[in-house]
Every structure is written in C-alpha cells, then in structure tokens.
Amino acid sequence: MTGVWALLGALAAAGAIGVLLKVREGRISRAKDSIDLPAPVRDLLAPGVTLVQLSTTFCAPCRHAKVVLRDLADRTDGLTHAELDVTNLPDVTTKLGVMRTPTTLALTSDGTEVLRVGGVPKRDSLLAALRPHLP
C-alpha cells in the first residue's frame, strides 16, 4: 500500500511541476540590472532593437522560437533577430543569468536590455511589450 501512495505523490508532484512550467513558458520579464554584455552578444547588435535568441544545438523549442522571432522581425521596422548558439559558450549564459533555452533578450543598439523572454515567445505579447522601444 505504501508503494501506491508513493506513486500517487510522485504523480501529483510531476503534475504540479508541469503546470508551473506551462505557466512560465513565454513569460516576458523586464530587465533588472544593466550588465556588461559578453562580446559574442555585443557583436550581434544592430540599429533599433535586436532580439538575441540564445539557443542550444539540440533544443527543439528553439526552432519554434526562431520562426516566431524571425517573422516578427521581418514584419516590424526597427526590429532585428539574431540567434546565438550557446552550447559551447557557458560563460555567456552565466554572465547573462540564463538558465534555459530558448531565452530571448531584447537589446537596444547601445546594449541596454529592454526585456527577456524564457521559452517560446507569444508574438502579440512580445510586440506589445516592444512597442515603446521601437521607432
């Protein structure tokens, strides 16, 4: 009987974690502190706002995020999309405080972080959050 209770407890915990992860997916957060950007990120900046997508080689959601971000950048003046594979760049993720991929940073041309998105962004929410920073 103890095994049944342990199984039910494990299922409940897994379900709660799944719900928490689903709620956090695509959430937009505002930049907290200004940091000195690592060179690989700084090299990607363009005039206006650059969406820097931090991805890894085997990240399936990264491919979906890339489609969403590239489409948004193609349709929006003053917005650029760049992808950085951080598989072999752990120092970049550490310096930026990135815990998962995909993570998207919205950066101005001077390197100021406007916002960041963990997971696959929701197109309309991201565009609404970016509007005040676009020309």
Side-chain angles (χ1 to χ4, degrees), residues 46-112:
V49 176
T50 303
L51 298 173
V52 178
Q53 178 187 340
L54 303 174
S55 303
T56 52
T57 305
F58 298 106
C59 170
C62 293
R63 290 186 283 277
H64 183 63
K66 181 178 181 177
V67 170
V68 171
L69 295 171
R70 184 163 287 158
D71 178 61
L72 185 62
D74 288 346
R75 296 172 185 245
T76 308
D77 291 333
L79 191 61
T80 306
H81 171 253
E83 186 176 12
L84 180 63
D85 185 341
V86 293
T87 303
N88 297 316
L89 300 171
D91 53 322
V92 171
T93 57
T94 301
K95 185 156 188 174
L96 294 174
V98 172
M99 302 298 286
R100 67 183 279 199
T101 58
T103 292
T104 303
L105 307 175
L107 303 166
T108 60
S109 58
D110 66 354
T112 303

Side-chain angles (χ1 to χ4, degrees), residues 10-53:
L11 288 174
I17 291 170
V19 168
L20 178 65
L21 290 175
K22 184 69 174 169
V23 168
R24 292 180 53 97
E25 180 71 19
R27 187 176 69 171
I28 298 171
S29 60
R30 305 287 174 211
K32 295 179 183 120
D33 296 324
S34 179
I35 60 168
D36 185 33
L37 292 176
V41 176
R42 201 174 37 253
D43 293 344
L44 298 173
L45 297 180
V49 176
T50 303
L51 298 173
V52 178
Q53 178 187 340

